[in-house]
Amino acid sequence: MPRLKEMVETLRAALDQRDAATVRQLAHKLKGSAGTLGFHGFTEPAQRLTDAVRATDWPLAEQALSEMESTARRVVAPQAED
């Protein structure tokens, strides 16, 4: 998935800064892109992240983003070895 690592890093920075608008926008974009490309491991955590930020539930948002970061590492790592 193009730019996955960068998107997740930007999401992390936005969440760390409690930039709710940016987190919602990027999570929504990642959810759609991932679903289209068949990376369904991102769709549910991205929705939870969006919902958590909308509700200002930062601990839940952290949990959802951590799950997405873990999934991204598994997706990106095999490509780096090619």
Side-chain angles (χ1 to χ4, degrees), residues 5 72-82:
K5 182 179 178 191
R73 282 191 296 274
R74 289 192 307 273
V75 170
V76 173
Q79 295 172 356
E81 295 173 4
D82 290 343

Side-chain angles (χ1 to χ4, degrees), residues 3 5-6 9-10 13 16-17 20 31 37 41 43-44 49 53 58 62 66 69 71 76 82:
R3 300 183 5 217
K5 182 179 178 191
E6 293 84 6
E9 289 172 352
T10 303
D16 288 348
Q17 295 173 7
K31 177 184 165 198
L37 294 173
T43 54
E44 200 272 323
L49 176 58
V53 170
W58 301 111
E62 288 284 346
S66 291
E69 289 169 328
T71 301
V76 173
D82 290 343

Side-chain angles (χ1 to χ4, degrees), residues 32-55:
S33 297
T36 299
L37 294 173
F39 291 110
H40 300 292
F42 287 100
T43 54
E44 200 272 323
Q47 184 63 55
R48 279 191 286 124
L49 176 58
T50 301
D51 293 343
V53 170
R54 193 170 283 126

